[in-house]
Amino acid sequence: PDDIRLRFFSMWHSLPQRQLARLTQIDYDREMAFVLFDPKERILGIGRLAADPNNQRAEFAVIVRSDLKGKGIGEMLMHHILDYAKNRGTEEVFGDILWENRAMIALSRKLGFTIEAVPGAPDIVRAVIPVKTPA
């Protein structure tokens, strides 16, 4: 439950139908989801990227299975997300993070993101990184 709250900023006992559709029916022109499985086909983590219509900015989101946090899965997914954004020509990647999610803030800093305050939301910070397009 705490992982869900850190990812979606609220507690859910089950996904609302609208949210479930949004997460599973991807608009490949603007969105991508990367799902990491183990050999038994269990989900280890998920990384998502959703771009604006002009592909200038894209928002990331990552969730890792609770028992696997701190093992590099989130970092691997973030590298994959950033590589994908770079190859698409996205100019900037960002993500909103609950201030208490210190692990995600630390990972974002490690990857070169700048951490900014979100006006009017003292419990949320925004991680932002420019993405260089391939030469």
Side-chain angles (χ1 to χ4, degrees):
D2 198 44
D3 293 334
I4 299 295
R5 185 182 60 76
L6 290 175
R7 164 60 180 89
F8 294 103
F9 298 2
S10 64
M11 296 291 290
W12 291 350
H13 296 293
S14 63
L15 283 172
Q17 188 65 30
R18 185 175 182 187
Q19 185 71 8
L20 184 60
R22 185 179 152 288
L23 293 173
T24 58
Q25 298 171 8
I26 296 172
D27 171 3
Y28 289 103
D29 288 332
R30 295 183 38 204
E31 300 174 293
M32 183 53 67
F34 302 102
V35 182
L36 182 62
F37 293 95
D38 70 6
K40 294 181 181 179
E41 297 188 8
R42 293 176 297 196
I43 295 175
L44 306 179
I46 302 169
R48 295 181 57 86
L49 190 69
D52 64 25
N54 297 324
N55 194 42
Q56 293 176 331
R57 298 182 77 224
E59 183 175 11
F60 76 83
V62 172
I63 189 165
V64 173
R65 206 170 79 191
S66 301
D67 61 328
L68 297 175
K69 289 188 176 195
K71 302 203 183 291
I73 292 170
E75 184 172 356
M76 181 172 48
L77 287 166
M78 285 297 296
H79 280 293
H80 204 70
I81 288 167
L82 293 173
D83 287 344
Y84 180 80
K86 178 180 178 179
N87 288 328
R88 280 187 46 91
T90 306
E91 295 175 20
E92 180 180 86
V93 172
F94 73 95
D96 289 346
I97 307 167
L98 283 175
W99 179 248
E100 68 188 87
N101 192 347
R102 298 294 187 188
M104 191 65 212
I105 293 170
L107 174 57
S108 297
R109 283 189 171 125
K110 179 181 177 181
L111 296 175
F113 283 79
T114 300
I115 305 300
E116 306 172 347
V118 175
D123 57 338
I124 298 173
V125 296
R126 181 164 290 150
V128 180
I129 191 168
V131 181
K132 308 274 190 282
T133 55

